[in-house]
Amino acid sequence: MTAITAATELRSFTLAELQALCQEQGWPAFRAKQLFQWLQQKGAWSFSEMSNIPQSMRDVLAEKYQLAAPQVLKKQCSKDGTTVKWLLEFADGAKIETVLMLYERETARDRATVCVSSQSGCGMGCAFCATGQYKEYRNLTAGEIIAQCLIADKEARERGFNQLTNIVFMGMGEPLLNMDNLKRCILLINDEQGLNIGQRKMTVSTCGIVPRIYELADWNLQIGLAISLHSADAEVRKRLMPKASHYSLNELLEAVHYFREHTGRRVTAEYALFQGVNATVEAAHQLGNLLTGTDILVNIIPANYVEGSEFLPCTAEEQRQFLAILSTYNVSAQVRESRGTDIDAACGQLRRR
Ligand code: SAH
Ligand code: SF4
């Protein structure tokens, strides 16, 4: 078992850092660019694949450095063929899941979205989430997050898409508790010589780590923000998200407001409807009251049942009623279609098995 550290994991290196490395080793500067392309664009999983790099240089690299190269333990495709899920394992044994969702293959607006994990496991312990049921977790390096995008990009291309188009940080883990690696991977993915995916095509989802939302806004990037709200009632939210509720709803909304003002980007609030808990008539009015006057877009996520959980999905009728009440408050809402439930790839169903 080899521990991966950000300092020696080359897929986390920027071009400038690779250039510095080449200089240090006495290698010509153009090698840095070649390396960067192998790591960020061509998705090389080993140094031996890097055919235009001299063997002597590859030997030095292999001895001193690692590259995030997860092993695919399992790959599943949904029956309708639109969703693919991988169970991946890194060199130290850390496991994660990654999900690719393919939309509208026929049109010019092809969309291939990968849902990446930012941690193996999660320490936030939300009561309704499969990922939150693990006690152990660790941050992923930037390269380990990029590796997931590269795997998804390859799959999308093989299925006739031009490339991977969107990235959502909605897999396992809390991205805002892994800030350095998050920023690094966003910039690397955005790099013209990397996957070259626009910042506006990336969305970070958080359970609401308030100080980190301010920090994220101050990065001055054009990435999108989604907050897992799930309730407008402090007590109910505490039941659902005990640790995230350390920050009050007011503090959370203030942070969202700051992000909105600072980046110009509209924020989404994710809301999974659980029967008798946050899907009631009263809950709909509370949410309407909380969000009216803001331009936060509510994303209704059909709740997914997680084994052993006390929280059950609501009925279609309850969802319809909830939406109807919300619309009376002039709050925009959309229902996110649930993808890949047959392979446990939907929101909150990711676990390391
Ligand atoms: N940790 C981050 C991102 C990963 S979770 C966050 O919490 O936002 C991605 C989304 O799935 C979040 O909105 C989360 O609340 C939601 N989710 C978790 N468990 C779910 C479940 N059982 N049903 C529906 N959505 C769920
Ligand atoms: Fe962690 Fe997000 Fe799941 Fe909560 S919902 S346990 S923050 S992954």
Side-chain angles (χ1 to χ4, degrees):
M1 291 217 284
T2 331
I4 297 259
T5 71
T8 54
E9 194 277 286
L10 279 195
R11 212 185 298 281
S12 295
F13 279 41
T14 62
L15 183 58
E17 287 165 345
L18 290 177
Q19 279 161 345
L21 186 155
C22 285
Q23 196 175 17
E24 206 180 280
Q25 295 285 339
W27 297 325
F30 73 91
R31 294 291 181 206
K33 210 163 168 177
Q34 287 178 325
L35 259 179
F36 191 79
Q37 282 170 346
W38 280 113
L39 294 164
Q40 301 296 334
Q41 205 167 52
K42 298 185 198 165
W45 300 121
S46 68
F47 293 112
S48 57
E49 280 170 58
M50 302 179 177
S51 48
N52 58 359
I53 306 269
Q55 184 65 47
S56 57
M57 182 174 154
R58 282 189 255 158
D59 289 344
V60 174
L61 289 172
E63 196 190 327
K64 295 191 170 166
Y65 297 95
Q66 303 133 327
L67 35 142
Q71 210 188 324
V72 178
L73 294 187
K74 196 150 98 182
K75 177 179 171 186
Q76 290 168 278
C77 298
S78 65
K79 285 198 200 80
D80 65 6
T82 64
T83 309
V84 185
K85 181 174 83 162
W86 292 268
L87 174 63
L88 304 173
E89 184 179 29
F90 292 104
D92 68 339
K95 294 185 186 63
I96 55 156
E97 290 191 316
T98 304
V99 180
L100 173 67
M101 292 157 286
L102 301 160
Y103 303 84
E104 302 181 27
R105 203 184 319 202
E106 315 76 30
T107 73
R109 296 200 342 273
D110 276 358
R111 191 150 55 92
T113 301
V114 68
C115 177
V116 294
S117 295
S118 54
Q119 299 179 315
S120 168
C122 182
M124 293 307 290
C126 301
F128 51 84
C129 175
T131 306
Q133 293 174 355
Y134 297 98
K135 291 216 171 58
E136 277 172 47
Y137 63 98
R138 79 154 166 90
N139 282 339
L140 299 185
T141 66
E144 288 171 331
I145 301 174
I146 293 163
Q148 301 170 58
C149 301
L150 289 164
I151 289 172
D153 182 59
K154 182 161 176 277
E155 178 80 20
R157 286 171 196 265
E158 282 171 6
R159 285 166 173 255
F161 284 73
N162 290 332
Q163 66 164 117
L164 180 69
T165 58
N166 296 65
I167 298 172
V168 293
F169 293 84
M170 296 184 185
M172 295 170 75
E174 171 48 51
L176 297 197
L177 292 178
N178 190 10
M179 291 296 266
D180 292 348
N181 293 322
L182 177 68
K183 186 175 190 184
R184 195 170 259 276
C185 87
I186 288 170
L187 295 175
L188 285 167
I189 291 165
N190 188 214
D191 197 293
E192 270 177 25
Q193 290 178 69
L195 281 166
N196 193 16
I197 296 174
Q199 290 174 14
R200 297 181 77 87
K201 305 277 179 177
M202 303 187 213
T203 303
V204 172
S205 174
T206 177
C207 62
I209 316 287
V210 165
R212 300 291 170 85
I213 295 175
Y214 286 97
E215 210 180 304
L216 193 72
D218 289 337
W219 288 353
N220 290 318
L221 301 179
Q222 277 298 296
I223 51 169
L225 174 68
I227 51 159
S228 296
L229 187 60
H230 301 309
S231 177
D233 179 289
E235 283 310 307
V236 174
R237 192 161 190 270
K238 198 167 175 184
R239 232 179 104 199
L240 291 168
M241 311 174 73
K243 289 194 186 166
S245 297
H246 170 75
Y247 300 101
S248 71
L249 284 164
N250 262 344
E251 288 172 314
L252 181 56
L253 287 185
E254 267 173 38
V256 164
H257 182 69
Y258 180 84
F259 184 93
R260 174 72 175 105
E261 292 292 297
H262 205 77
T263 63
R265 300 228 49 197
R266 195 170 174 190
V267 176
T268 300
E270 293 161 289
Y271 199 106
L273 294 170
F274 297 103
Q275 189 163 55
V277 181
N278 65 352
T280 59
V281 168
E282 190 198 359
H285 285 292
Q286 283 173 316
L287 185 64
N289 273 316
L290 186 73
L291 298 188
T292 190
T294 72
D295 72 348
I296 295 175
L297 174 71
V298 177
N299 214 334
I300 298 288
I301 316 177
N304 295 300
Y305 176 67
V306 169
E307 223 176 275
S309 163
E310 60 171 302
F311 301 108
L312 305 175
C314 73
T315 63
E317 175 53 25
E318 285 164 318
Q319 177 174 308
R320 195 200 55 73
Q321 187 178 45
F322 192 91
L323 284 163
I325 295 171
L326 211 51
S327 70
T328 64
Y329 288 86
N330 260 329
V331 172
S332 335
Q334 62 188 28
V335 179
R336 184 191 294 166
E337 67 177 304
S338 197
R339 289 272 189 140
T341 38
D342 58 334
I343 53 170
D344 273 2
C347 290
Q349 292 187 312
L350 303 187
R351 51 179 84 227
R352 296 178 290 204
R353 67 168 192 215

